[in-house]
Amino acid sequence: MSKTITLAHGNGGAENNELISKVFYKAFKNDILVKSEDAAVIHNGELAFSTDSFTVSPLFFNGADIGKLAICGTCNDLSMMGAKPKYLTCSVIIEEGFEIRSLEKIVRSMKEELAKNGAIVVSGDTKVVPKGSVDKIFINTTGIGEIQYKGISSNNITEDDLILVSRDIGAHGATIFAAREGMDLETSLKSDCTSLYPQVEALINAGIKITALRDATRGGVSAVLNEWAKQSNICIEVEEDKIPICDEVKGICEMLGFEAMSLANEGTFVLAIPKEDAQKAIEVLHTFEEAQNASVIGKVTQQYEQKVILYSPWGTKRFLDTPTGELLPRIC
Amino acid sequence: MSKTITLAHGNGGAENNELISKVFYKAFKNDILVKSEDAAVIHNGELAFSTDSFTVSPLFFNGADIGKLAICGTCNDLSMMGAKPKYLTCSVIIEEGFEIRSLEKIVRSMKEELAKNGAIVVSGDTKVVPKGSVDKIFINTTGIGEIQYKGISSNNITEDDLILVSRDIGAHGATIFAAREGMDLETSLKSDCTSLYPQVEALINAGIKITALRDATRGGVSAVLNEWAKQSNICIEVEEDKIPICDEVKGICEMLGFEAMSLANEGTFVLAIPKEDAQKAIEVLHTFEEAQNASVIGKVTQQYEQKVILYSPWGTKRFLDTPTGELLPRIC
């Protein structure tokens, strides 16, 4: 590991994993932390507990703002453990001189998104720092959810499961990129930022068996699939033309050489569902406007150890690796 | 309220309270948040839940560093609700270029302080932002504690209670000030930063009745007493010469015109204890090295509505108001 922190250490990919394991896990190690996925499972398996800090730039962008993102991000982490988001804390660090009107707009977005989750903010903290100590505003949200479906774990995926995504991928990353480049007015592209609990709840209520869920934030679908391949000691084989990608995201990727599979999402999740329930899961997801493109994208095999393989429509194949380097800092 | 955020909005005093109530409480209002003191009480009164972000500068100072502070701050908030700190999340925002050795030192401090609370970190988040987007490192910790003593509330203080402080006041604020001014090598002054749960646990185990507890962080003892006077609709009368203040803090206050009562603390708490148990509480506190100066400092009356009165040894009296303005940004 290098002697100083680099932007790649926050990419949600390989360097990020190395920093977390060599610095944080090494010091804090305990059974719950080691098993913790999107959220930790605590209190006799009753509650999920998860934290996220949001540093996104710009603060306002097509489809969302830092406030909506801060609620979706933490509530989605809880949802991915089968938990209903219930109690959140909200801690803000604000730069001196920040407009109170902008703060109010952000807080209104948070309020609206909380309602969609049926969650409330029960405690908070407000810090103000001198100009230059922080860029505008950073928000931390930490949440507790009540687990409705037990046993979701990325350690348990087997050849009996299929791999699904809940919608077209990469919209959040592409939107933030477009906003920074001033391209956001010329495109209908918008962030996928959404609260996922309603979709998870519908899957649970439909009686669908769930092996693993993960929202594909930093590092995108690539990071999730590679982590799952390692944790469950499996090979995940994906058919490239089954992966839904909208035209705007395709365009940005082609123009700039990005890989849509590595772009961040904020309302798109990957599912490992037993084969017999996969079609029903797709049908349930399709009842949601945001999940019209939900698709089965791959299967689980033992062809290679802990690898993700991407098959092209022309019959060629390649390994899809955990993303490295820093594509876009301050994406969330 | 002004149109932009000022440093005073983060002072733990009057302007801070205004921002919280007019922006955050207004949007997020719910019964738990309104009743929330140092921590929210959730899950049928079983659990306390609290968050804090730490932006202190410098990162390392006499008596502690940002890591120790980040654990003490959140665990102490839980302790003040009679809760045993149990599960914490840790979310860091790091500036590109920050030394990994410094990060490891901070994380080691966190680990040591967690052990003193019997708490563990179960989930985390790591963000890296480009140079200039944050000053070095900010840390959020959010904690869940198991409530051991129910009913602690700053709404319930009456004339049957006495007001105590657990030790000499103002050491943290004075230490940070001295460190910034380069005075820290010439003084034996060090921050009071300490985990308070052991002291709270000893009070509970001794069977002492507790009306209210509050650690006197930003805004110091002044902010706590004024908040209590308002919330319990009482007058708090304090004898100035009963307030323990060490010589170094007195010196810095005299030299610079600070009021020790408004200086931040990070391991000093104010107690409202029924008269019949106050002496026993002092005896329990005196068994702790950090609380050798624990003292009864005042009583509760109805002389004025929601006021704090300070009596000098010469028989004069004055009102002690909620602190205003910004004494020291980035104190915690």
Side-chain angles (χ1 to χ4, degrees):
Chain A
M1 198 157 58
S2 62
K3 284 190 174 176
T4 57
I5 295 288
T6 65
L7 288 173
H9 283 122
N11 65 355
E15 299 88 343
N16 201 175
N17 293 343
E18 189 190 13
L19 177 70
I20 291 169
S21 81
K22 290 198 178 166
V23 176
F24 294 99
Y25 275 39
K26 193 178 155 197
F28 295 150
K29 60 177 171 239
N30 60 71
D31 286 352
I32 298 174
L33 180 65
V34 169
K35 284 184 201 152
S36 173
E37 298 183 10
D38 267 349
V41 176
I42 58 166
H43 208 61
N44 305 320
E46 279 176 41
L47 303 177
F49 188 28
S50 185
T51 189
D52 255 322
S53 286
F54 298 87
T55 65
V56 69
S57 174
L59 297 175
F60 302 91
F61 47 89
N62 281 352
D65 59 37
I66 190 172
K68 180 178 179 183
L69 189 63
I71 301 300
C72 290
T74 288
C75 288
N76 289 351
D77 282 348
L78 299 171
S79 304
M80 294 300 106
M81 297 308 291
K84 178 170 170 43
K86 188 144 185 195
Y87 303 115
L88 266 72
T89 59
C90 165
S91 179
V92 295
I93 302 170
I94 315 174
E95 187 179 27
E96 179 189 12
F98 190 69
E99 283 211 350
I100 290 185
R101 220 162 50 173
S102 299
L103 181 63
E104 287 171 330
K105 198 172 160 191
I106 290 165
V107 171
R108 269 199 304 275
S109 292
M110 296 180 82
K111 180 187 173 182
E112 281 173 32
E113 207 60 30
L114 281 163
K116 291 179 192 165
N117 286 280
I120 53 175
V121 165
V122 295
S123 194
D125 181 45
T126 311
K127 295 276 154 62
V128 180
V129 297
K131 269 200 178 295
S133 299
V134 74
D135 185 21
K136 298 185 186 77
I137 184 169
F138 291 168
I139 302 178
N140 175 281
T141 50
T142 302
I144 296 176
E146 291 178 336
I147 294 178
Q148 309 293 316
Y149 185 100
K150 293 195 178 187
I152 293 178
S153 166
S154 48
N155 294 316
N156 301 340
I157 308 166
T158 69
E159 289 171 75
D160 293 334
D161 294 306
L162 289 175
I163 305 298
L164 289 63
V165 292
S166 69
R167 56 163 287 167
D168 55 291
I169 67 171
H172 180 72
T175 299
I176 296 296
F177 185 83
R180 289 203 204 146
E181 300 297 309
M183 296 154 62
D184 53 336
L185 295 174
E186 305 153 35
T187 167
S188 61
L189 179 66
K190 63 174 192 169
S191 168
D192 60 319
C193 183
T194 309
S195 290
L196 294 173
Y197 187 69
Q199 294 176 50
V200 173
E201 187 180 40
L203 292 169
I204 296 171
N205 288 345
I208 286 162
K209 286 198 281 300
I210 301 169
T211 305
L213 300 177
R214 185 71 59 91
D215 61 334
T217 55
R218 279 179 294 174
V221 175
S222 294
V224 174
L225 296 181
N226 274 283
E227 209 177 318
W228 283 5
K230 283 192 188 69
Q231 292 191 326
S232 287
N233 199 25
I234 50 173
C235 177
I236 297 178
E237 303 191 18
V238 174
E239 289 182 64
E240 202 160 5
D241 62 351
K242 295 276 177 65
I243 302 164
I245 309 176
C246 76
D247 289 342
E248 290 95 335
V249 171
K250 269 189 191 145
I252 285 182
C253 286
E254 277 167 18
M255 198 160 61
L256 300 156
F258 292 160
E259 173 109 67
M261 293 285 274
S262 302
L263 284 182
N265 308 273
E266 289 294 344
T268 304
F269 63 119
V270 188
L271 305 85
I273 301 284
K275 281 174 186 167
E276 67 269 22
D277 278 5
Q279 191 48 43
K280 198 169 161 196
I282 293 290
E283 283 162 20
V284 170
L285 290 172
H286 283 175
T287 63
F288 290 84
E289 201 190 322
E290 314 90 275
Q292 290 303 307
N293 301 320
S295 307
V296 174
I297 61 166
K299 62 181 179 180
V300 177
T301 69
Q302 291 292 345
Q303 191 182 166
Y304 294 93
E305 262 190 15
Q306 307 188 345
K307 286 285 184 191
V308 180
I309 305 174
L310 216 53
Y311 289 90
S312 80
W314 308 279
T316 59
K317 69 176 183 183
R318 62 181 173 103
F319 290 121
L320 181 73
D321 291 324
T322 302
T324 57
E326 181 56 71
L327 186 62
L328 276 178
R330 300 185 62 186
I331 192 82
C332 60
Chain B
M1 200 157 54
S2 62
K3 284 189 173 176
T4 57
I5 295 288
T6 66
L7 287 173
H9 283 121
N11 65 356
E15 298 88 344
N16 201 174
N17 293 343
E18 190 190 12
L19 177 70
I20 291 169
S21 81
K22 291 199 177 163
V23 176
F24 294 99
Y25 275 38
K26 194 179 156 196
F28 296 149
K29 61 178 170 238
N30 60 71
D31 286 352
I32 297 175
L33 181 64
V34 169
K35 284 184 201 153
S36 174
E37 298 184 10
D38 266 348
V41 176
I42 58 166
H43 209 63
N44 305 319
E46 279 176 41
L47 303 177
F49 188 28
S50 185
T51 189
D52 254 321
S53 286
F54 297 87
T55 64
V56 69
S57 174
L59 297 176
F60 301 92
F61 49 88
N62 281 350
D65 59 37
I66 190 172
K68 180 178 179 181
L69 188 64
I71 300 300
C72 290
T74 288
C75 287
N76 288 350
D77 282 348
L78 299 171
S79 303
M80 294 300 105
M81 297 309 289
K84 178 170 172 41
K86 189 145 187 196
Y87 303 116
L88 267 72
T89 58
C90 165
S91 179
V92 295
I93 303 171
I94 316 174
E95 188 179 25
E96 178 189 12
F98 189 69
E99 283 211 349
I100 290 186
R101 217 161 54 172
S102 299
L103 180 63
E104 287 171 330
K105 198 173 159 190
I106 290 166
V107 171
R108 270 198 306 274
S109 291
M110 297 180 82
K111 181 189 173 181
E112 281 173 30
E113 208 59 30
L114 282 163
K116 292 181 191 163
N117 286 280
I120 54 174
V121 165
V122 294
S123 194
D125 181 44
T126 310
K127 296 277 155 61
V128 180
V129 297
K131 269 200 176 297
S133 299
V134 75
D135 185 20
K136 298 185 185 77
I137 184 169
F138 290 169
I139 302 178
N140 176 280
T141 50
T142 302
I144 296 176
E146 291 178 337
I147 293 178
Q148 309 294 317
Y149 185 102
K150 292 194 178 188
I152 293 178
S153 166
S154 48
N155 294 316
N156 301 340
I157 307 167
T158 69
E159 289 170 75
D160 293 334
D161 294 306
L162 290 176
I163 306 298
L164 289 64
V165 291
S166 69
R167 56 163 287 167
D168 55 291
I169 67 171
H172 180 73
T175 300
I176 296 296
F177 184 83
R180 288 201 204 148
E181 300 298 309
M183 297 155 61
D184 53 336
L185 295 174
E186 306 154 35
T187 169
S188 60
L189 179 65
K190 62 174 192 168
S191 168
D192 60 319
C193 183
T194 308
S195 289
L196 293 173
Y197 187 69
Q199 294 176 50
V200 172
E201 187 181 40
L203 292 168
I204 295 171
N205 288 345
I208 287 161
K209 286 199 281 300
I210 301 169
T211 305
L213 300 177
R214 185 72 59 90
D215 60 333
T217 54
R218 278 179 296 174
V221 175
S222 295
V224 174
L225 296 180
N226 274 284
E227 209 176 317
W228 282 7
K230 283 192 188 68
Q231 292 190 327
S232 286
N233 200 25
I234 51 172
C235 177
I236 297 179
E237 303 192 19
V238 174
E239 287 182 66
E240 203 160 5
D241 63 352
K242 295 276 176 67
I243 303 163
I245 309 177
C246 75
D247 289 342
E248 289 94 336
V249 171
K250 267 188 193 147
I252 284 181
C253 286
E254 277 166 20
M255 197 162 59
L256 300 156
F258 292 161
E259 174 109 67
M261 293 284 275
S262 302
L263 284 182
N265 309 272
E266 289 294 343
T268 303
F269 63 118
V270 188
L271 306 85
I273 301 285
K275 281 174 187 167
E276 66 271 23
D277 278 5
Q279 190 49 43
K280 198 170 161 196
I282 293 289
E283 283 161 22
V284 169
L285 291 171
H286 283 175
T287 64
F288 289 84
E289 201 191 322
E290 315 90 274
Q292 290 303 308
N293 301 320
S295 307
V296 174
I297 61 165
K299 61 182 181 179
V300 177
T301 69
Q302 290 291 348
Q303 192 183 165
Y304 294 92
E305 262 190 14
Q306 307 188 346
K307 286 284 182 192
V308 180
I309 306 174
L310 217 52
Y311 289 90
S312 79
W314 308 279
T316 58
K317 69 176 184 183
R318 64 183 173 100
F319 290 121
L320 180 73
D321 291 324
T322 302
T324 58
E326 180 57 70
L327 185 60
L328 277 178
R330 301 187 61 188
I331 192 82
C332 59

